Coordinates of all heavy atoms in Angstrom, one line a residue:
M1 N -9.5 32.5 -71.9 CA -9.7 31.3 -71.1 C -8.9 30.0 -71.6 O -9.3 29.6 -72.7 CB -11.2 31.1 -71.0 CG -11.7 29.9 -70.0 SD -11.4 30.2 -68.3 CE -11.6 28.7 -67.5
T2 N -8.1 29.5 -71.0 CA -7.3 28.4 -71.5 C -8.0 27.2 -70.9 O -8.4 27.1 -69.8 CB -5.8 28.4 -71.2 OG1 -5.8 28.7 -69.7 CG2 -5.2 29.7 -71.9
K3 N -7.8 26.0 -71.5 CA -8.4 24.7 -71.1 C -7.3 24.4 -70.0 O -6.1 24.6 -70.0 CB -8.3 23.7 -72.1 CG -9.5 23.9 -73.1 CD -9.7 22.9 -74.1 CE -10.7 23.1 -75.1 NZ -10.7 22.2 -76.2
N4 N -7.9 23.8 -69.0 CA -7.2 23.2 -67.9 C -6.3 22.0 -68.3 O -6.8 21.0 -68.7 CB -8.1 22.8 -66.7 CG -7.3 22.6 -65.5 OD1 -6.2 21.9 -65.3 ND2 -7.6 23.2 -64.4
I5 N -5.1 22.1 -68.1 CA -4.1 21.1 -68.6 C -4.3 19.7 -67.9 O -4.0 18.7 -68.4 CB -2.6 21.6 -68.5 CG1 -2.6 22.8 -69.4 CG2 -1.7 20.7 -69.0 CD1 -1.4 23.7 -69.3
I6 N -4.7 19.8 -66.7 CA -4.7 18.6 -65.8 C -5.5 17.6 -66.4 O -5.3 16.4 -66.3 CB -5.1 19.1 -64.3 CG1 -4.0 19.9 -63.6 CG2 -5.4 17.7 -63.6 CD1 -4.4 20.3 -62.3
Q7 N -6.7 17.9 -67.0 CA -7.5 17.0 -67.4 C -7.0 16.2 -68.6 O -7.6 15.0 -69.1 CB -8.9 17.6 -67.9 CG -8.8 18.5 -69.2 CD -10.1 19.5 -69.3 OE1 -10.5 20.1 -68.3 NE2 -10.5 19.4 -70.5
F8 N -5.9 16.6 -69.2 CA -5.3 15.9 -70.3 C -4.2 15.0 -69.9 O -3.6 14.4 -70.7 CB -4.8 16.9 -71.3 CG -6.0 17.7 -72.0 CD1 -6.0 19.1 -71.8 CD2 -6.9 17.1 -72.7 CE1 -6.9 19.8 -72.3 CE2 -7.9 17.8 -73.3 CZ -8.0 19.3 -73.1
Q9 N -4.1 14.8 -68.5 CA -2.9 14.1 -68.0 C -3.5 12.7 -67.6 O -3.1 12.1 -66.6 CB -2.3 14.7 -66.8 CG -1.6 16.1 -67.3 CD -0.8 16.7 -66.2 OE1 -1.1 16.4 -65.0 NE2 0.2 17.5 -66.5
K10 N -4.4 12.2 -68.4 CA -5.0 10.9 -68.0 C -3.9 9.7 -68.0 O -4.1 8.7 -67.4 CB -6.0 10.5 -69.0 CG -7.3 11.3 -68.7 CD -8.4 11.0 -69.7 CE -9.6 11.8 -69.3 NZ -10.6 12.0 -70.3
G11 N -2.8 9.9 -68.8 CA -1.8 8.7 -68.7 C -1.0 8.7 -67.4 O -0.2 7.7 -67.3
L12 N -1.2 9.6 -66.6 CA -0.4 9.7 -65.4 C -1.0 8.5 -64.4 O -2.1 8.5 -64.1 CB -0.7 11.1 -64.6 CG 0.5 11.7 -64.0 CD1 1.5 11.9 -64.9 CD2 0.1 13.0 -63.4
S13 N -0.1 7.7 -63.9 CA -0.6 6.7 -62.9 C -0.9 7.2 -61.7 O -0.3 8.3 -61.3 CB 0.5 5.6 -63.0 OG 1.6 6.1 -62.3
L14 N -1.7 6.5 -60.9 CA -2.1 7.0 -59.5 C -1.0 7.2 -58.7 O -0.8 8.4 -58.0 CB -3.0 6.1 -59.0 CG -3.7 6.6 -57.6 CD1 -4.5 7.9 -58.1 CD2 -4.7 5.6 -57.0
P15 N 0.0 6.3 -58.6 CA 1.2 6.7 -57.6 C 2.1 7.8 -58.1 O 2.4 8.7 -57.3 CB 2.0 5.3 -57.7 CG 1.1 4.3 -58.2 CD 0.1 5.0 -59.1
K16 N 2.1 8.0 -59.4 CA 2.8 9.1 -59.9 C 2.1 10.4 -59.7 O 2.7 11.4 -59.3 CB 3.2 8.9 -61.5 CG 4.3 8.0 -61.7 CD 5.5 8.9 -62.4 CE 6.7 8.2 -62.5 NZ 6.7 7.3 -63.6
F17 N 0.7 10.2 -59.9 CA -0.2 11.4 -59.6 C -0.1 11.9 -58.2 O 0.1 13.1 -57.9 CB -1.5 11.0 -60.0 CG -2.5 12.2 -60.0 CD1 -2.8 13.0 -61.0 CD2 -3.3 12.4 -58.8 CE1 -3.6 14.0 -60.9 CE2 -4.1 13.4 -58.6 CZ -4.4 14.2 -59.6
L18 N -0.2 10.9 -57.3 CA -0.1 11.2 -55.9 C 1.3 11.9 -55.5 O 1.3 12.8 -54.7 CB -0.4 10.1 -55.0 CG -1.8 9.6 -55.0 CD1 -1.9 8.4 -54.2 CD2 -2.7 10.7 -54.5
E19 N 2.3 11.4 -56.1 CA 3.6 11.8 -55.9 C 3.7 13.3 -56.4 O 4.3 14.1 -55.7 CB 4.5 11.0 -56.7 CG 6.1 11.3 -56.3 CD 7.0 10.4 -57.2 OE1 6.8 9.1 -57.1 OE2 7.7 10.8 -58.0
K20 N 3.0 13.6 -57.4 CA 3.0 14.9 -58.0 C 2.0 15.9 -57.3 O 2.4 17.1 -57.2 CB 2.7 14.8 -59.5 CG 3.3 16.0 -60.3 CD 3.2 15.7 -61.8 CE 3.7 17.1 -62.6 NZ 3.4 16.9 -63.9
Y21 N 0.9 15.4 -57.1 CA -0.2 16.3 -56.6 C -0.5 16.0 -55.1 O -1.5 16.5 -54.5 CB -1.4 16.3 -57.5 CG -0.9 16.7 -58.8 CD1 -0.9 15.9 -59.9 CD2 -0.8 18.1 -59.1 CE1 -0.6 16.3 -61.1 CE2 -0.5 18.6 -60.4 CZ -0.3 17.7 -61.4 OH -0.1 18.2 -62.6
G22 N 0.1 15.0 -54.5 CA -0.5 14.5 -53.3 C -0.3 15.5 -52.1 O -1.3 15.4 -51.2
M23 N 0.5 16.4 -52.1 CA 0.5 17.4 -51.0 C -0.1 18.7 -51.4 O 0.0 19.0 -52.7 CB 2.0 17.8 -50.7 CG 2.8 16.5 -50.4 SD 2.5 16.0 -48.7 CE 3.2 17.4 -47.8
E24 N -0.9 19.2 -50.6 CA -1.7 20.5 -51.0 C -0.8 21.6 -51.6 O -1.1 22.2 -52.4 CB -2.3 20.9 -49.6 CG -3.3 22.1 -49.8 CD -4.6 21.7 -50.2 OE1 -4.9 20.4 -50.4 OE2 -5.4 22.6 -50.6
E25 N 0.4 21.6 -50.9 CA 1.2 22.7 -51.2 C 1.8 22.4 -52.7 O 1.9 23.3 -53.6 CB 2.5 22.8 -50.4 CG 3.5 23.9 -50.6 CD 2.8 25.3 -50.4 OE1 1.8 25.3 -49.6 OE2 3.2 26.2 -51.0
Q26 N 2.0 21.3 -53.0 CA 2.4 20.7 -54.4 C 1.3 21.0 -55.4 O 1.6 21.4 -56.4 CB 2.9 19.3 -54.5 CG 4.1 19.1 -53.7 CD 4.4 17.5 -53.6 OE1 3.7 16.8 -53.1 NE2 5.7 17.2 -54.2
C27 N 0.1 20.8 -54.9 CA -1.0 21.2 -55.9 C -1.0 22.6 -56.1 O -1.3 22.9 -57.4 CB -2.4 21.0 -55.0 SG -2.8 19.1 -54.8
Y28 N -0.9 23.5 -55.3 CA -0.9 24.8 -55.6 C 0.3 25.2 -56.4 O 0.1 26.0 -57.4 CB -1.0 25.7 -54.4 CG -2.2 25.9 -53.7 CD1 -2.6 25.0 -52.7 CD2 -3.2 26.8 -54.3 CE1 -4.0 25.1 -52.3 CE2 -4.5 26.8 -53.8 CZ -4.9 25.9 -52.8 OH -6.1 26.1 -52.4
S29 N 1.4 24.7 -56.1 CA 2.6 24.9 -57.0 C 2.5 24.4 -58.3 O 2.8 25.1 -59.4 CB 3.9 24.4 -56.2 OG 4.6 23.7 -57.0
A30 N 1.9 23.3 -58.4 CA 1.6 22.7 -59.9 C 0.7 23.7 -60.6 O 0.7 24.0 -61.7 CB 1.1 21.3 -59.8
L31 N -0.4 24.1 -59.9 CA -1.5 25.0 -60.4 C -0.8 26.3 -60.8 O -1.2 26.7 -61.9 CB -2.5 25.2 -59.4 CG -3.8 24.4 -59.5 CD1 -4.8 24.8 -58.4 CD2 -4.4 24.3 -60.8
F32 N 0.1 26.8 -59.9 CA 0.7 28.1 -60.3 C 1.5 28.0 -61.6 O 1.3 28.7 -62.5 CB 1.6 28.3 -59.2 CG 2.4 29.6 -59.4 CD1 1.8 30.7 -58.8 CD2 3.5 29.8 -60.1 CE1 2.5 32.0 -59.0 CE2 4.3 31.0 -60.3 CZ 3.6 32.2 -59.7
H33 N 2.2 26.8 -61.8 CA 3.0 26.7 -63.1 C 2.1 26.4 -64.3 O 2.4 26.7 -65.4 CB 4.0 25.6 -62.9 CG 5.0 26.1 -62.0 ND1 5.9 27.0 -62.3 CD2 5.4 25.5 -60.6 CE1 6.9 27.1 -61.3 NE2 6.5 26.3 -60.3
L34 N 0.9 25.7 -64.1 CA -0.1 25.6 -65.1 C -0.7 26.9 -65.6 O -0.9 27.1 -66.7 CB -1.2 24.7 -64.7 CG -0.8 23.1 -64.7 CD1 -1.9 22.3 -64.0 CD2 -0.5 22.6 -66.1
R35 N -1.0 27.6 -64.5 CA -1.7 28.9 -64.8 C -0.7 30.0 -65.3 O -1.1 30.7 -66.2 CB -2.3 29.4 -63.5 CG -3.1 30.7 -63.6 CD -4.3 30.7 -62.7 NE -5.1 31.7 -63.2 CZ -6.1 32.4 -62.4 NH1 -6.3 31.9 -61.3 NH2 -6.8 33.3 -63.0
W36 N 0.5 30.1 -64.7 CA 1.5 31.1 -65.2 C 2.8 30.4 -65.4 O 3.8 30.5 -64.6 CB 1.5 32.2 -64.0 CG 0.4 32.8 -63.6 CD1 -0.3 33.6 -64.6 CD2 -0.3 33.0 -62.6 NE1 -1.4 34.3 -63.9 CE2 -1.3 33.8 -62.6 CE3 0.0 32.3 -61.3 CZ2 -2.3 34.1 -61.6 CZ3 -1.0 32.7 -60.2 CH2 -2.0 33.4 -60.4
P37 N 2.8 29.7 -66.6 CA 4.1 29.0 -67.0 C 5.4 29.9 -67.0 O 6.4 29.5 -66.8 CB 3.8 28.5 -68.4 CG 2.3 28.6 -68.5 CD 1.8 29.6 -67.7
D38 N 5.1 31.1 -67.2 CA 6.2 32.0 -67.4 C 6.3 32.9 -66.2 O 6.9 34.0 -66.2 CB 6.3 32.9 -68.6 CG 6.1 32.1 -69.9 OD1 6.9 31.2 -70.0 OD2 5.4 32.4 -70.8
G39 N 5.6 32.5 -65.1 CA 5.6 33.4 -63.8 C 4.4 34.2 -63.8 O 3.6 34.2 -64.7
F40 N 4.0 34.6 -62.5 CA 2.9 35.4 -62.3 C 2.7 36.6 -63.2 O 3.6 37.3 -63.5 CB 2.9 35.8 -60.9 CG 1.7 36.8 -60.5 CD1 0.5 36.2 -60.2 CD2 1.8 38.1 -60.6 CE1 -0.7 36.8 -59.7 CE2 0.6 39.0 -60.3 CZ -0.5 38.2 -59.9
I41 N 1.4 36.6 -63.8 CA 1.0 37.8 -64.6 C -0.3 38.3 -63.9 O -1.2 37.5 -64.0 CB 1.0 37.6 -66.1 CG1 2.3 37.2 -66.5 CG2 0.5 38.8 -66.8 CD1 2.2 36.6 -68.0
C42 N -0.4 39.6 -63.6 CA -1.7 40.1 -63.0 C -2.7 40.2 -64.1 O -2.5 40.6 -65.2 CB -1.5 41.5 -62.5 SG -3.0 42.4 -62.0
P43 N -3.8 39.5 -63.9 CA -4.9 39.5 -64.9 C -5.4 41.0 -65.2 O -6.2 41.3 -66.0 CB -6.0 38.5 -64.3 CG -5.7 38.4 -62.9 CD -4.1 38.7 -62.8
E44 N -5.2 41.8 -64.2 CA -5.9 43.2 -64.2 C -5.0 44.1 -65.0 O -5.4 44.7 -65.9 CB -6.0 43.6 -62.8 CG -6.8 45.0 -62.7 CD -8.3 44.6 -63.0 OE1 -8.8 43.6 -62.8 OE2 -8.9 45.8 -63.5
C45 N -3.6 44.1 -64.7 CA -2.8 45.1 -65.4 C -1.6 44.6 -66.1 O -0.8 45.2 -66.6 CB -2.3 46.2 -64.2 SG -1.2 45.5 -63.1
G46 N -1.4 43.2 -66.0 CA -0.3 42.6 -66.6 C 1.1 42.8 -66.1 O 2.1 42.2 -66.5
N47 N 1.0 43.3 -64.7 CA 2.2 43.4 -63.9 C 2.8 42.0 -63.5 O 2.0 41.1 -63.3 CB 2.0 44.3 -62.8 CG 3.2 44.5 -61.9 OD1 4.3 44.7 -62.4 ND2 3.0 44.6 -60.6
K48 N 4.0 41.8 -63.4 CA 4.6 40.6 -63.0 C 5.2 40.3 -61.7 O 5.5 39.4 -61.3 CB 5.6 40.2 -64.0 CG 5.1 39.9 -65.5 CD 6.2 39.4 -66.5 CE 5.5 39.1 -67.7 NZ 6.6 38.7 -68.7
T49 N 5.1 41.5 -60.9 CA 5.5 41.4 -59.5 C 4.4 41.2 -58.5 O 3.2 41.9 -58.8 CB 6.5 42.6 -59.0 OG1 5.6 43.7 -59.3 CG2 7.7 42.6 -59.9
Y50 N 4.4 40.4 -57.5 CA 3.4 40.1 -56.6 C 4.0 39.7 -55.3 O 5.1 39.4 -55.2 CB 2.6 38.9 -57.3 CG 3.4 37.6 -57.3 CD1 3.3 36.7 -56.2 CD2 4.3 37.3 -58.2 CE1 4.0 35.5 -56.3 CE2 5.0 36.2 -58.2 CZ 4.9 35.3 -57.3 OH 5.6 34.1 -57.2
C51 N 3.0 39.6 -54.4 CA 3.4 38.9 -53.2 C 2.4 37.9 -52.8 O 1.1 38.1 -53.2 CB 3.7 40.0 -52.1 SG 2.1 40.9 -51.7
K52 N 2.8 37.0 -52.2 CA 1.9 35.9 -51.9 C 1.3 36.0 -50.5 O 2.1 36.2 -49.5 CB 2.7 34.5 -51.9 CG 1.8 33.3 -51.9 CD 2.7 32.1 -52.0 CE 2.0 30.7 -51.9 NZ 2.7 29.6 -51.8
I53 N 0.1 35.8 -50.4 CA -0.7 36.0 -49.1 C -1.0 34.6 -48.6 O -2.0 34.0 -49.1 CB -1.9 36.9 -49.1 CG1 -1.6 38.3 -49.6 CG2 -2.6 37.0 -47.8 CD1 -2.7 39.2 -49.9
K54 N -0.3 34.1 -47.7 CA -0.1 32.7 -47.4 C -1.7 32.2 -46.8 O -2.0 31.3 -47.0 CB 0.9 32.3 -46.5 CG 2.2 32.1 -47.2 CD 3.2 31.5 -46.3 CE 4.5 31.2 -47.1 NZ 5.5 30.6 -46.4
S55 N -2.1 33.2 -45.9 CA -3.2 32.7 -45.1 C -4.4 32.5 -46.1 O -5.4 31.6 -45.8 CB -3.5 33.8 -44.2 OG -3.7 35.0 -44.8
R56 N -4.5 33.3 -47.2 CA -5.8 33.0 -48.1 C -5.3 32.4 -49.4 O -6.1 32.3 -50.3 CB -6.2 34.4 -48.2 CG -6.9 35.1 -47.0 CD -7.5 36.4 -47.2 NE -8.5 36.4 -48.3 CZ -8.6 37.3 -49.2 NH1 -7.9 38.4 -49.0 NH2 -9.5 37.2 -50.2
K57 N -4.1 32.0 -49.5 CA -3.7 31.3 -50.8 C -4.0 32.3 -52.1 O -4.5 31.7 -53.0 CB -4.2 30.0 -51.0 CG -3.6 29.0 -49.9 CD -3.8 27.7 -50.3 CE -3.1 26.6 -49.3 NZ -3.9 26.2 -48.2
V58 N -3.7 33.5 -51.9 CA -3.8 34.5 -53.0 C -2.7 35.2 -53.2 O -1.7 35.3 -52.5 CB -5.0 35.4 -52.7 CG1 -6.5 34.7 -52.6 CG2 -4.8 36.3 -51.6
Y59 N -2.5 35.7 -54.4 CA -1.4 36.5 -54.9 C -1.9 37.8 -55.2 O -2.7 38.1 -55.9 CB -0.7 35.9 -56.2 CG -0.3 34.5 -56.0 CD1 -1.2 33.2 -56.1 CD2 0.9 34.2 -55.7 CE1 -0.8 32.1 -55.8 CE2 1.4 32.9 -55.4 CZ 0.5 31.8 -55.4 OH 0.9 30.6 -55.2
Q60 N -1.2 38.8 -54.5 CA -1.5 40.2 -54.7 C -0.5 41.1 -55.6 O 0.7 40.9 -55.3 CB -1.7 41.0 -53.4 CG -2.0 42.3 -53.5 CD -2.2 42.8 -52.1 OE1 -3.2 42.6 -51.4 NE2 -1.4 43.8 -51.8
C61 N -1.1 41.6 -56.6 CA -0.2 42.4 -57.5 C 0.4 43.5 -56.8 O -0.2 44.3 -56.1 CB -1.1 42.8 -58.6 SG -0.4 43.9 -59.8
H62 N 1.7 43.8 -57.1 CA 2.3 44.9 -56.4 C 1.9 46.3 -57.0 O 1.9 47.2 -56.4 CB 3.9 44.8 -56.7 CG 4.5 44.0 -55.7 ND1 5.8 43.5 -55.8 CD2 4.1 43.6 -54.5 CE1 6.3 42.8 -54.7 NE2 5.2 42.7 -54.0
R63 N 1.4 46.2 -58.2 CA 1.1 47.7 -58.9 C -0.3 47.9 -58.5 O -0.7 49.0 -58.1 CB 1.2 47.5 -60.4 CG 1.1 48.8 -61.0 CD 0.9 48.8 -62.5 NE 2.1 48.3 -63.2 CZ 2.1 47.9 -64.6 NH1 1.0 47.9 -65.2 NH2 3.3 47.6 -65.1
C64 N -1.3 47.1 -58.8 CA -2.7 47.5 -58.7 C -3.4 46.8 -57.4 O -4.5 47.1 -57.1 CB -3.5 47.1 -59.8 SG -3.8 45.4 -60.3
H65 N -2.7 46.0 -56.8 CA -3.0 45.4 -55.5 C -4.3 44.5 -55.7 O -5.0 44.1 -54.7 CB -3.3 46.4 -54.4 CG -2.1 47.3 -54.1 ND1 -1.1 46.8 -53.5 CD2 -2.0 48.6 -54.4 CE1 -0.2 47.8 -53.4 NE2 -0.7 48.8 -54.0
R66 N -4.6 44.1 -56.9 CA -5.6 43.1 -57.1 C -5.2 41.8 -56.6 O -4.0 41.4 -56.9 CB -6.0 43.0 -58.7 CG -7.0 41.9 -58.9 CD -7.1 41.6 -60.4 NE -7.7 40.2 -60.6 CZ -9.0 40.2 -61.2 NH1 -9.5 41.3 -61.7 NH2 -9.5 39.0 -61.4
Q67 N -6.0 41.1 -56.0 CA -5.8 39.7 -55.3 C -6.4 38.7 -56.2 O -7.4 38.7 -56.6 CB -6.3 39.6 -54.1 CG -5.6 40.6 -53.0 CD -6.1 40.5 -51.6 OE1 -7.1 39.8 -51.3 NE2 -5.4 41.1 -50.6
T68 N -5.4 37.9 -56.7 CA -5.8 36.7 -57.5 C -5.6 35.3 -56.8 O -4.6 35.0 -56.4 CB -4.9 36.7 -58.7 OG1 -5.0 38.1 -59.4 CG2 -5.4 35.7 -59.8
S69 N -6.8 34.8 -56.8 CA -6.7 33.2 -56.3 C -6.3 32.4 -57.4 O -6.6 32.5 -58.5 CB -8.2 32.9 -55.9 OG -8.1 31.4 -55.6
L70 N -5.4 31.4 -56.9 CA -5.0 30.3 -58.0 C -6.0 29.7 -58.5 O -6.0 29.2 -59.7 CB -3.9 29.4 -57.2 CG -2.5 29.6 -57.3 CD1 -1.9 28.4 -56.8 CD2 -2.1 29.6 -58.9
T71 N -7.1 29.5 -57.8 CA -8.1 28.5 -58.3 C -9.2 29.3 -59.0 O -10.1 28.7 -59.7 CB -8.8 27.8 -57.0 OG1 -9.2 28.7 -56.1 CG2 -7.7 26.8 -56.5
S72 N -9.3 30.6 -58.9 CA -10.3 31.4 -59.7 C -10.1 31.2 -61.1 O -9.1 31.3 -61.8 CB -10.4 32.9 -59.3 OG -9.2 33.5 -59.8
G73 N -11.2 30.9 -61.9 CA -11.2 30.7 -63.2 C -10.7 29.2 -63.6 O -10.7 29.0 -64.8
T74 N -10.6 28.3 -62.8 CA -10.3 26.9 -63.0 C -11.4 26.1 -62.4 O -12.5 26.6 -61.8 CB -9.0 26.5 -62.4 OG1 -9.2 26.3 -61.0 CG2 -7.8 27.5 -62.6
I75 N -11.4 24.8 -62.8 CA -12.4 24.0 -62.2 C -12.4 23.8 -60.8 O -13.2 23.4 -60.0 CB -12.3 22.5 -62.8 CG1 -10.9 21.9 -62.6 CG2 -12.5 22.5 -64.3 CD1 -10.8 20.4 -62.8
F76 N -11.3 24.2 -60.2 CA -11.3 24.2 -58.7 C -11.9 25.4 -58.0 O -12.1 25.3 -56.8 CB -9.7 24.2 -58.3 CG -9.0 22.9 -58.9 CD1 -8.0 23.3 -59.8 CD2 -9.2 21.6 -58.6 CE1 -7.3 22.3 -60.4 CE2 -8.5 20.7 -59.3 CZ -7.5 21.0 -60.1
A77 N -12.5 26.3 -58.8 CA -12.9 27.5 -58.2 C -14.0 27.3 -57.3 O -14.2 27.9 -56.3 CB -13.1 28.7 -59.2
A78 N -14.8 26.4 -57.8 CA -16.1 26.2 -57.1 C -16.1 25.2 -55.9 O -17.0 25.1 -55.2 CB -17.3 25.7 -58.0
T79 N -15.0 24.6 -55.7 CA -14.9 23.5 -54.7 C -14.3 24.1 -53.4 O -13.5 24.9 -53.4 CB -14.0 22.4 -55.2 OG1 -14.0 21.3 -54.2 CG2 -12.6 22.9 -55.4
K80 N -14.9 23.4 -52.3 CA -14.4 23.6 -51.1 C -13.5 22.5 -50.6 O -13.0 22.5 -49.5 CB -15.4 24.0 -50.0 CG -16.3 25.2 -50.4 CD -15.6 26.5 -50.0 CE -16.4 27.7 -50.3 NZ -16.3 28.3 -51.5
V81 N -13.4 21.5 -51.4 CA -12.8 20.2 -51.1 C -11.3 20.5 -51.2 O -10.8 21.2 -52.2 CB -13.1 19.1 -52.1 CG1 -12.4 17.9 -51.9 CG2 -14.6 18.8 -52.0
P82 N -10.4 19.9 -50.4 CA -9.0 20.3 -50.5 C -8.5 19.7 -51.9 O -9.1 18.7 -52.2 CB -8.4 19.3 -49.2 CG -9.5 19.2 -48.5 CD -10.7 19.3 -49.2
L83 N -7.5 20.4 -52.4 CA -7.1 19.9 -53.7 C -6.5 18.5 -53.8 O -6.6 17.9 -54.9 CB -6.0 21.0 -54.2 CG -6.6 22.3 -54.7 CD1 -5.4 23.1 -55.0 CD2 -7.6 22.2 -55.7
T84 N -6.1 18.0 -52.7 CA -5.6 16.7 -52.6 C -6.6 15.7 -53.0 O -6.4 14.6 -53.5 CB -4.9 16.4 -51.3 OG1 -5.8 16.8 -50.2 CG2 -3.6 17.1 -51.0
K85 N -7.9 15.9 -52.8 CA -8.9 15.0 -53.1 C -9.1 15.0 -54.5 O -9.7 14.0 -55.1 CB -10.3 15.5 -52.5 CG -10.2 15.3 -51.0 CD -11.4 14.8 -50.4 CE -11.2 14.4 -49.0 NZ -12.4 14.1 -48.2
W86 N -8.7 15.9 -55.3 CA -8.9 15.9 -56.9 C -7.8 15.0 -57.4 O -7.9 14.4 -58.5 CB -8.6 17.3 -57.4 CG -9.8 18.1 -57.2 CD1 -9.9 18.9 -56.2 CD2 -11.0 18.3 -58.0 NE1 -11.2 19.6 -56.4 CE2 -11.8 19.3 -57.5 CE3 -11.4 17.7 -59.3 CZ2 -13.0 19.7 -58.1 CZ3 -12.5 18.1 -59.9 CH2 -13.4 19.1 -59.2
Ligands
LIG1 ZN1 -2.0 44.3 -61.2

């Protein structure tokens, strides 16, 4: 379990923050890179190939078909609030 990097970005000004995380899609893409800096790795089997299921915003492993939510295991997991509100 790694600490969430976002909480350490207090130096980020609000306009810069919004620029970076203002769009929902950018939030997910930023989260993706925070979570998997070297690309997707399946938490179940370590496989690196996946497909993205857009409707549910989850990533499915090609090997074991485990579906991983970007927000599971992060502070965002419990929230139903759009990520832009964070
Ligand atoms: Zn897998």
Side-chain angles (χ1 to χ4, degrees):
M1 183 72 192
T2 54
K3 287 184 181 174
N4 194 307
I5 298 168
I6 288 176
Q7 70 192 47
F8 296 116
Q9 296 184 335
K10 284 177 180 160
L12 220 57
S13 70
L14 188 60
K16 279 249 170 81
F17 183 86
L18 289 176
E19 193 180 297
K20 201 170 182 188
Y21 298 107
M23 305 282 291
E24 186 80 2
E25 189 62 30
Q26 287 174 303
C27 290
Y28 277 96
S29 129
L31 265 183
F32 183 93
H33 288 293
L34 285 172
R35 185 151 191 196
W36 297 297
D38 301 316
F40 175 85
I41 296 171
C42 174
E44 189 72 25
C45 70
N47 185 40
K48 290 187 176 178
T49 55
Y50 67 97
C51 59
K52 191 178 178 183
I53 299 168
K54 281 193 173 178
S55 55
R56 295 180 52 215
K57 293 198 169 93
V58 294
Y59 298 83
Q60 182 173 292
C61 173
H62 272 166
R63 190 195 285 167
C64 69
H65 302 292
R66 178 191 162 117
Q67 293 183 350
T68 305
S69 165
L70 252 190
T71 52
S72 68
T74 73
I75 56 164
F76 302 113
T79 185
K80 298 281 185 271
V81 177
L83 283 179
T84 44
K85 294 219 168 175
W86 287 88

